[in-house]
């Protein structure tokens, strides 16, 4: 742009300078010419005056004439300060103010005389050999009637004229130089005013290229440059709009990718990893920084996974597979590999979607294990019922005593079967969340007393003392039936797993006071002085069918589902349950429940 401005300045300056030079030369010529004309007019006038004021007849001998006219010429020169020459019609010099006429050549052929002869006056500027100077000659003929008798000629040195013209040239050149400077300055200003908007446009265009879409050209003029600026602004507007669109889309897409549960990974046609969302980072145990830009083969990945990607790239087809990953944690992943193609390209990479299906698979396993467990649990009492019934049919019926004890066993086992099926149904109902809870305020002191009463017969049988410790004004918002189920289960466990003469106790306390001085949670502790649970079993006792001692559980008539049901019910009330126990000392179940729902 700077170069353009310089160029423009130069062109303008040269143009102005050329036109000024032409005008100057023309003027100088004109001046010189008019100077010459004035000189010539003066000389003609002087010649005429000399002619009319003198006697220029040719009477007398030649030598006398020469003498007279030479003297006369010299006298006249004193006034005119110009060389005067008197020449006879044949060209012979008869008088000269500066030289001896005898020494002078015939002057008839000199251009001024020739011109004077034909036109009535003659002028010539020429170099004089005798005077060694540029001279202006002016000549007029002296007539006698129609006939030329002689010529009068004046000559002045052009030294003066030349000096004046030279001075004129000096001034002209000086003025020209000055004008040139002014012209250069004016040109520069003009060039600047033309190039400045263009520079601005260029600057803005560069800024837009550098992704500064807010840059605008500041145009006011309506000319072509103004229109160009306006066009650039319109372009920047639409660019900005489009960029906003793109950014919006991008952030939406990023948002989706960032918040997706599934892992997404993309491999481009150069087999480089180009995208990895946070879920994929988490699943694969590598950060984006570690993997992005790397070839998938060079990334440290499970061998089978790398193989699968290779297969998908080679086959260019969709592959779905399940794989167990051992790093960073063990999990089962469903892997979907999709070949992707972009506009105009047949194949541009692979999109890999990773789903963590560990939980799904675990659930499936648990379900089938549950079915197996249930079948197993059902089998034992049924086998017993069947066995004893068979024995009775085979003849034991006759022995009254044995028959009675067998029938009792059959009754107990069917009772157990009934309980088992009841518990299983209950558990499945709770687990599938099919039972809605009916919350109502429960007066704890009253409620616990009732629950203890329900268990008192059983406790009495074993000589176990049941006790409660609960403040009179404690209320809890809960589903009363479900809460009773929790208590009955825990109390009956306490009674079952405590030796005769032991103690089972319920304590209720208010915990976690809020800023208004109200208690937000209730802690219920059911403790016994029973056999306790070994440390290694503690983490598992809430599992379905888990029993510490199968035989003992059988004797107590337990199903192995009680604690499992309790835990689910507590969780339905948004509470927590944990257990503390020491073998031989006793067990404590601690339940924390929110007071209000
Ligand atoms: P069960 O019907 O066999 O009692 P639960 O789910 O109620 O099944 O309990 C699971 C197991 O936890 C029991 O078999 C028992 O071994 C142990 N257990 C539960 N409560 C107590 C307790 N109060 N004291 C000692 N062991 C207990």
């Amino acid at each position: 742009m700077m170069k353009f401005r310089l160029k423009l300045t130069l062109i303008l300056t040269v143009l102005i300078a050329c036109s000024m030079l032409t005008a100057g030369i023309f003027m100088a010529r004109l001046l010189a010419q008019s100077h010459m004309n004035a000189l010539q007019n003066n000389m003609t006038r002087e010649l005429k005056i000399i002619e009319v004021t003198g006697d220029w007849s040719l009477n007398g001998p030649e030598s006398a004439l020469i003498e007279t006219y030479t003297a006369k010429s010299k006298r006249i020169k004193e006034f005119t300060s110009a060389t005067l020459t008197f020449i006879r019609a044949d060209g012979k010099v008869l008088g000269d103010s500066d030289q001896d006429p005898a020494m002078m050549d015939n002057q008839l052929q000199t251009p001024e005389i020739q011109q004077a002869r034909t036109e009535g006056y003659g002028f010539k500027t020429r170099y004089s050999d005798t005077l060694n100077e540029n001279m202006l000659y002016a000549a007029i003929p002296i007539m006698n009637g129609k006939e030329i008798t002689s010529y009068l000629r004046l000559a002045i040195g052009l030294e003066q004229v030349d000096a004046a013209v030279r001075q004129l040239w000096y001034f002209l050149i000086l003025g020209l130089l000055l004008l040139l400077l002014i012209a250069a300055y004016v040109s520069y200003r003009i060039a600047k005013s033309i190039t400045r908007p263009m520079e601005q446009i260029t600057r803005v265009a560069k800024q837009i290229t550098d992704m500064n879409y807010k840059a605008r050209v500041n145009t006011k003029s309506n000319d072509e440059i103004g229109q160009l600026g306006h066009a650039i602004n319109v372009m920047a507007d639409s660019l900005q709009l489009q960029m906003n669109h793109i950014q919006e889309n991008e952030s939406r897409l990023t948002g989706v990718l960032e918040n997706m549960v599934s892992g997404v990974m993309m491999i481009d046609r150069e087999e480089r990893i180009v995208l990895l969302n946070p879920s994929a980072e988490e699943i694969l145990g590598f950060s984006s920084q570690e993997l992005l830009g790397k070839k998938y083969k060079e990334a440290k990945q499970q061998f089978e996974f790398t193989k699968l990607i290779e297969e998908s790239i080679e086959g260019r087809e969709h592959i779905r597979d399940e794989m167990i990953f051992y790093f960073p944690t063990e999990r089962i992943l469903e892997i979907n590999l999709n070949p992707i193609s972009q506009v105009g390209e047949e194949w541009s990479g692979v999109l890999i979607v990773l789903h963590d299906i560990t939980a799904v698979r675990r659930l499936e396993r648990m379900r089938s294990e549950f079915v197996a467990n249930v079948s197993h649990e059902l089998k034992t009492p049924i086998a017993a019922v069947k066995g004893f019934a068979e024995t009775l049919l085979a003849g034991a019926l006759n022995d009254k005593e044995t028959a009675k004890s067998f029938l009792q066993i059959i009754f107990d086992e069917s009772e157990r079967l009934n309980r088992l099926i009841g518990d299983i149904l209950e558990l499945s109902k709770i687990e599938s969340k099919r039972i809605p809870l009916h919350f109502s305020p429960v007066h704890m002191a009253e409620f616990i007393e009732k629950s203890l009463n329900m268990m008192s017969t059983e406790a009495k049988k074993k000589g176990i003392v049941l006790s409660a410790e609960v403040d009179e004004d404690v209320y809890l918002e809960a589903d009363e039936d479900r809460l009773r189920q929790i208590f009955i289960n825990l109390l009956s466990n306490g009674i079952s797993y405590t030796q005769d003469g032991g103690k089972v106790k319920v304590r209720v306390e208010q915990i976690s006071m809020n800023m208004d001085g109200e208690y937000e949670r209730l802690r219920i502790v059911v403790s016994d002085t029973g056999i306790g649970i070994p440390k290694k079993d503690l983490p598992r006792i809430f599992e379905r069918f888990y029993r510490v001692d199968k035989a003992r559980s059988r004797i107590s008539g337990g199903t192995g589902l009680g604690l499992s049901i309790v835990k689910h019910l507590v969780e339905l009330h948004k509470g927590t349950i944990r257990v503390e126990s020491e073998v031989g000392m006793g067990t404590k179940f601690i339940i924390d429940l929110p007071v209000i729902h």
Side-chain angles (χ1 to χ4, degrees):
M1 197 42 78
M2 206 53 228
K3 265 165 100 183
F4 177 63
R5 186 190 282 189
L6 215 69
K7 255 192 238 166
L8 201 62
T9 309
L10 221 67
I11 291 169
L12 282 172
T13 312
V14 168
L15 268 177
I16 294 172
C18 278
S19 51
M20 276 184 343
L21 200 67
T22 321
I25 289 171
F26 183 71
M27 245 164 62
R29 281 265 174 91
L30 214 66
L31 270 171
Q33 190 62 51
S34 76
H35 195 79
M36 209 62 157
N37 283 347
L39 218 58
Q40 284 174 353
N41 282 342
N42 262 348
M43 285 168 91
T44 320
R45 203 161 38 240
E46 276 173 20
L47 280 172
K48 288 271 191 228
I49 292 168
I50 293 168
E51 185 201 346
V52 294
T53 55
D55 174 16
W56 302 100
S57 57
L58 302 168
N59 302 328
E62 196 180 273
S63 57
L65 284 175
I66 289 172
E67 201 177 318
T68 316
Y69 287 126
T70 301
K72 202 170 178 175
S73 301
K74 282 188 171 148
R75 224 173 28 248
I76 289 169
K77 192 190 172 176
E78 285 170 21
F79 307 109
T80 59
S81 63
T83 306
L84 180 69
T85 312
F86 184 56
I87 303 158
R88 208 166 52 195
D90 60 358
K92 168 77 181 149
V93 177
L94 293 181
D96 191 277
S97 59
D98 292 20
Q99 276 180 312
D100 183 357
M103 305 295 281
M104 290 173 74
D105 298 331
N106 188 300
Q107 299 289 319
L108 188 65
Q109 290 312 317
T110 57
E112 65 274 8
I113 297 298
Q114 282 296 323
Q115 196 189 355
R117 192 170 64 84
T118 52
E119 294 172 29
Y121 52 84
F123 303 102
K124 185 63 191 172
T125 307
R126 60 187 167 85
Y127 191 77
S128 159
D129 293 324
T130 44
L131 294 167
N132 287 325
E133 202 189 335
N134 252 335
M135 304 289 283
L136 170 63
Y137 291 91
I140 55 165
I142 296 173
M143 315 283 286
N144 186 7
K146 286 239 180 221
E147 195 188 344
I148 297 169
T149 57
S150 53
Y151 299 96
L152 270 173
R153 189 177 76 182
L154 268 177
I156 54 168
L158 279 179
E159 190 55 33
Q160 270 182 319
V161 181
D162 283 350
V165 171
R166 252 201 313 279
Q167 208 174 25
L168 197 72
W169 274 111
Y170 283 147
F171 277 122
L172 192 77
I173 286 165
L174 212 71
L176 264 177
L177 276 176
L178 201 74
L179 272 172
L180 201 69
L181 280 178
I182 295 170
Y185 177 70
V186 170
S187 308
Y188 177 75
R189 293 304 299 250
I190 293 170
K192 197 173 162 184
S193 76
I194 293 172
T195 56
R196 207 190 2 228
M198 290 207 278
E199 280 166 18
Q200 207 208 353
I201 289 169
T202 315
R203 203 167 46 239
V204 168
K206 268 198 195 117
Q207 282 175 328
I208 291 173
T209 317
D210 293 342
M211 300 208 277
N212 174 10
Y213 301 107
K214 288 197 184 75
R216 290 289 181 280
V217 181
N218 181 6
T219 51
K220 283 178 200 82
S221 63
N222 220 349
D223 55 9
E224 286 85 343
I225 289 177
Q227 282 168 11
L228 176 66
H230 182 68
I232 289 213
N233 282 351
V234 171
M235 187 187 79
D237 280 345
S238 95
L239 257 177
Q240 196 176 7
L241 211 72
Q242 281 177 28
M243 275 327 278
N244 282 349
H245 266 307
I246 290 173
Q247 269 164 5
E248 238 170 67
N249 277 343
E250 205 181 90
S251 71
R252 219 172 284 154
L253 202 70
T254 320
V256 170
L257 280 173
E258 304 254 294
N259 295 302
M260 249 171 108
V261 184
S262 307
V264 176
M265 183 174 171
M266 203 162 129
I267 288 168
D268 70 0
R269 55 188 324 143
E270 265 92 52
E271 307 192 345
R272 280 176 204 288
I273 300 168
V274 287
L275 190 145
L276 201 70
N277 77 341
S279 290
E281 290 180 42
E282 203 258 324
I283 290 172
L284 298 175
F286 286 101
S287 68
S288 294
Q289 285 111 306
E290 285 173 283
L291 291 187
L292 285 189
K294 259 199 196 149
K295 295 233 174 197
Y296 78 92
K297 278 181 188 163
E298 288 158 17
K300 271 184 276 151
Q301 285 299 330
Q302 202 154 300
F303 177 71
E304 297 97 309
F305 183 43
T306 311
K307 261 265 171 287
L308 207 64
I309 298 172
E310 199 178 340
E311 216 176 287
S312 156
I313 288 175
E314 275 167 11
R316 313 243 155 125
E317 57 184 11
H318 172 236
I319 297 176
R320 191 203 157 274
D321 203 354
E322 270 182 46
M323 207 174 268
I324 301 174
F325 273 59
Y326 300 97
F327 178 84
T329 51
E330 187 177 324
R331 50 178 127 203
I332 307 166
L333 295 185
E334 180 193 320
I335 305 170
N336 271 288
L337 299 109
N338 286 296
I340 41 176
S341 50
Q342 272 164 5
V343 195
E345 284 174 31
E346 201 188 316
W347 181 84
S348 60
V350 186
L351 184 72
I352 302 164
V353 181
L354 305 162
H355 294 286
D356 186 346
I357 52 166
T358 320
V360 179
R361 290 287 174 269
R362 190 176 292 153
L363 215 67
E364 280 171 7
R365 206 181 58 222
M366 266 165 67
R367 204 154 280 157
S368 62
E369 274 174 13
F370 180 66
V371 172
N373 276 335
V374 167
S375 320
H376 180 77
E377 294 293 330
L378 292 176
K379 240 168 124 174
T380 328
I382 285 174
V385 170
K386 195 182 165 209
F388 284 106
E390 265 171 6
T391 322
L392 284 173
L393 286 173
L397 249 176
N398 302 331
D399 180 350
K400 263 233 152 92
E401 274 304 300
T402 323
K404 199 174 171 219
S405 80
F406 278 16
L407 279 173
Q408 185 62 46
I409 293 173
I410 288 174
F411 177 77
D412 288 347
E413 288 298 325
S414 46
E415 187 78 331
R416 212 166 93 85
L417 207 57
N418 198 27
R419 255 201 322 276
L420 192 62
I421 290 168
D423 276 359
I424 290 169
L425 285 176
E426 184 69 23
L427 193 65
S428 102
K429 250 201 295 190
I430 298 169
E431 275 195 344
S432 61
K433 304 212 162 66
R434 261 184 289 135
I435 45 156
L437 295 189
H438 302 287
F439 285 99
S440 63
V442 177
H443 182 238
M444 286 309 278
E446 204 181 309
F447 172 79
I448 286 169
E449 206 195 309
K450 272 193 205 157
S451 304
L452 292 184
N453 278 341
M454 285 172 75
M455 301 308 295
S456 61
T457 341
E458 217 170 310
K460 249 182 214 141
K461 269 193 226 161
K462 290 184 80 176
I464 288 171
V465 181
L466 297 177
S467 66
E469 188 186 317
V470 52
D471 285 342
E472 185 49 39
D473 57 348
V474 177
Y475 283 84
L476 174 72
E477 201 179 14
D479 183 319
E480 198 172 334
D481 290 340
R482 300 293 159 193
L483 194 64
R484 187 172 302 114
Q485 221 174 335
I486 293 171
F487 271 91
I488 300 296
N489 268 311
L490 292 179
L491 289 171
S492 77
N493 271 354
I495 295 164
S496 298
Y497 300 106
T498 301
Q499 309 88 330
D500 295 1
K503 281 183 198 142
V504 175
K505 190 174 153 191
V506 180
R507 199 177 76 234
V508 176
E509 57 183 309
Q510 289 170 303
I511 54 166
S512 67
M513 195 194 278
N514 67 12
M515 285 200 280
D516 302 329
E518 290 164 357
Y519 292 99
E520 290 187 328
R521 296 177 84 83
L522 213 60
R523 172 163 295 172
I524 301 161
V525 183
V526 180
S527 55
D528 59 55
T529 56
I531 58 167
I533 302 165
K535 270 227 150 42
K536 67 169 176 51
D537 295 305
L538 281 177
R540 300 197 57 189
I541 56 158
F542 293 105
E543 285 177 20
R544 288 175 296 204
F545 300 116
Y546 191 82
R547 301 183 187 90
V548 177
D549 183 342
K550 286 235 176 217
R552 191 187 286 272
S553 172
R554 254 190 95 69
I555 296 162
S556 74
T559 58
L561 292 172
L563 286 181
S564 197
I565 291 172
V566 166
K567 186 164 200 273
H568 272 103
L569 288 175
V570 168
E571 279 166 3
L572 278 180
H573 281 83
K574 307 257 177 297
T576 56
I577 181 165
R578 60 197 168 85
V579 60
E580 287 172 9
S581 183
E582 210 170 307
V583 178
M585 299 298 287
T587 307
K588 236 188 218 176
F589 287 94
I590 302 143
I591 300 173
D592 286 349
L593 290 170
V595 174
I596 290 171
H597 284 273

